[in-house]
């Protein structure tokens, strides 16, 4: 509430009383806050594909242009990343008015190995730079799933980009997918990185929450990646959990209900 007090003056300038106006400003403030968060979200989510496009353009500039097969591949990546950015902007607009019950998912049949390998491919520069090895394992019983591909790509990009950011040179990342004991699809991204202290774990999905602000910012982080990931996973009717040990590593597990192909519901 905003309280405004106006004195009621007598003719002799003395105060006879006051008028108090109580104004409900919570709604206006909420709107302003979500507007600010939205702008920050957009910047963060556009940074990942822009970084990829930039590194591929630089690689072309640095000589890849003279090797036609390589140049073709790099141009292909630039084009698909640009298209993904356009879809991301559209999705971010939806995300800004996010309501998991009314959010329309665009599900499609997704080959899990292909999806996970494409994520790894998008980060091949950073992975090579830090000499981080990656393994992708998909349970042969659960080869594909009916998912909103753009949404889950965004979740995976956020998780893999964190795993790279917070893992020292020479570390490793394991990505696994398969049905778990509750019959859900579990996708886990496990790293051998710096980990997260126990006291910070319960706050890690909050918007802007970062264990080490300076480190996160230096790495290009904004503290939004995990909260966006959680929103998308919840829209799928799933959940996301994090387990970590300082100086040992972190594992983020996404659990998604397995829905029948062609299903339009969350
Ligand atoms: P950021 O853009 O800062 O990475 P996120 O929302 O993705 O934002 O993550 C929030 C914070 O959680 C990070 O700043 C970092 O402190 C911590 N974190 C996330 N993933 C990892 C990880 N794999 N290893 C260690 N810390 C992590």
């Amino acid at each position: 509430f905003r309280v405004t007090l106006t004195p009621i003056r007598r003719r002799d300038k003395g105060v006879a009383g006051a008028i108090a106006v109580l104004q409900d400003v919570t709604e206006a403030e909420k709107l302003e806050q979500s507007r600010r968060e939205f702008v920050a979200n957009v910047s963060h989510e556009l940074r990942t594909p822009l970084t990829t496009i930039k590194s591929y353009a630089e690689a072309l500039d640095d000589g890849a242009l003279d090797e036609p097969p390589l140049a073709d591949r790099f141009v292909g990546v630039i084009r698909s990343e640009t298209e993904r950015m356009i879809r991301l902007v559209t999705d971010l607009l939806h995300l800004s008015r996010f309501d998991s019950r009314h959010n329309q998912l665009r599900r499609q049949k997704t080959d899990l190995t292909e999806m996970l390998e494409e994520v790894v491919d998008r980060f091949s520069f950073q992975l090579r730079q830090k000499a981080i090895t990656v393994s992708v394992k998909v349970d042969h019983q659960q080869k594909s799933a009916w998912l909103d591909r753009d949404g889950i790509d965004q979740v995976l990009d956020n998780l893999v980009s964190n795993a790279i950011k917070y893992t020292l040179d020479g570390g490793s990342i394991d990505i696994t997918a398969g049905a778990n004991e509750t019959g859900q699809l579990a996708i886990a991204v496990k790293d051998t990185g710096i980990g997260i202290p126990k006291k910070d774990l319960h706050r890690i999905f909050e918007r802007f929450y970062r264990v080490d602000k300076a480190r996160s910012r230096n790495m290009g982080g904004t503290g939004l990646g995990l909260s966006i990931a959680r929103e998308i996973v919840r829209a799928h009717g799933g959940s996301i959990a994090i387990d970590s040990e300082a100086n040992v590593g972190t594992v983020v597990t996404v659990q998604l209900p397995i829905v029948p192909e062609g299903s339009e519901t969350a």
Side-chain angles (χ1 to χ4, degrees):
F1 285 100
R2 182 184 294 135
V3 184
T4 322
L5 271 177
T6 315
I8 305 167
R9 299 207 181 268
R10 288 196 307 255
R11 225 170 261 144
D12 64 3
K13 301 271 168 61
V15 177
I19 300 169
V21 179
L22 293 172
Q23 208 180 348
D24 184 355
V25 291
T26 43
E27 217 32 59
E29 254 161 37
K30 263 192 214 152
L31 269 175
E32 174 58 18
Q33 192 186 344
S34 68
R35 191 196 61 81
R36 277 199 300 264
E37 280 178 11
F38 174 67
V39 173
N41 269 339
V42 173
S43 324
H44 180 74
E45 293 309 315
L46 290 182
R47 184 178 286 138
T48 313
L50 279 173
T51 309
T52 310
I53 290 168
K54 182 169 176 273
S55 29
Y56 278 85
E58 278 168 3
L60 285 168
D61 218 11
D62 289 346
L65 260 182
D66 301 326
E67 296 175 50
L70 202 58
D72 279 354
R73 255 191 52 218
F74 286 8
V75 169
V77 173
I78 289 173
R79 180 180 292 160
S80 68
E81 285 295 282
T82 311
E83 283 163 1
R84 201 161 71 89
M85 263 172 55
I86 294 168
R87 289 199 300 269
L88 268 176
V89 172
T90 313
D91 285 352
L92 280 166
L93 276 163
H94 294 143
L95 204 62
S96 71
R97 301 174 236 119
F98 209 86
D99 180 339
S100 54
R101 278 161 306 172
H102 298 114
N103 194 46
Q104 272 284 294
L105 296 179
R106 289 194 300 267
R107 290 183 187 262
Q108 64 188 81
K109 188 174 179 180
T110 304
D111 182 279
L112 295 173
T113 306
E114 200 180 283
M115 175 175 76
L116 298 179
E117 279 174 355
E118 281 180 18
V119 179
V120 175
D121 283 348
R122 286 198 285 278
F123 289 96
S124 58
F125 273 97
Q126 285 106 305
L127 287 164
R128 207 176 313 149
Q129 252 173 7
K130 293 187 79 174
I132 294 174
T133 50
V134 186
S135 81
V136 171
K137 282 198 197 90
V138 174
D139 183 357
H140 64 277
Q141 310 253 9
Q142 187 70 46
K143 287 198 171 72
S144 63
W146 184 249
L147 304 170
D148 182 310
R149 183 62 196 271
D150 287 340
I152 299 301
D153 268 346
Q154 203 177 330
V155 171
L156 294 169
D157 277 4
N158 289 354
L159 301 188
V160 172
S161 120
N162 278 349
I164 297 171
K165 271 194 282 189
Y166 305 108
T167 296
L168 304 180
D169 289 13
S172 62
I173 298 173
D174 292 330
I175 309 174
T176 54
N180 66 9
E181 61 283 355
T182 58
Q184 293 200 313
L185 169 65
I187 304 176
V189 178
K190 182 170 179 250
D191 66 56
T192 57
I194 59 168
I196 301 164
K198 286 274 177 280
K199 66 172 176 47
D200 294 297
L201 266 184
H202 70 288
R203 299 199 55 194
I204 220 72
F205 289 102
E206 286 175 23
R207 288 187 173 185
F208 302 111
Y209 193 81
R210 290 166 280 192
V211 176
D212 180 341
K213 271 214 168 84
R215 180 181 206 124
S216 159
R217 210 176 294 123
N218 286 343
M219 300 287 193
T222 62
L224 291 166
L226 285 177
S227 49
I228 292 170
R230 184 168 65 174
E231 286 184 3
I232 297 169
V233 169
R234 282 183 172 170
H236 276 78
S239 62
I240 184 167
I242 192 161
D243 195 15
S244 186
E245 201 173 325
N247 303 316
V248 175
T250 303
V251 53
V252 183
T253 309
V254 169
Q255 299 198 81
L256 302 166
I258 298 171
V259 299
E261 217 171 286
S263 146
E264 293 294 333
T265 57

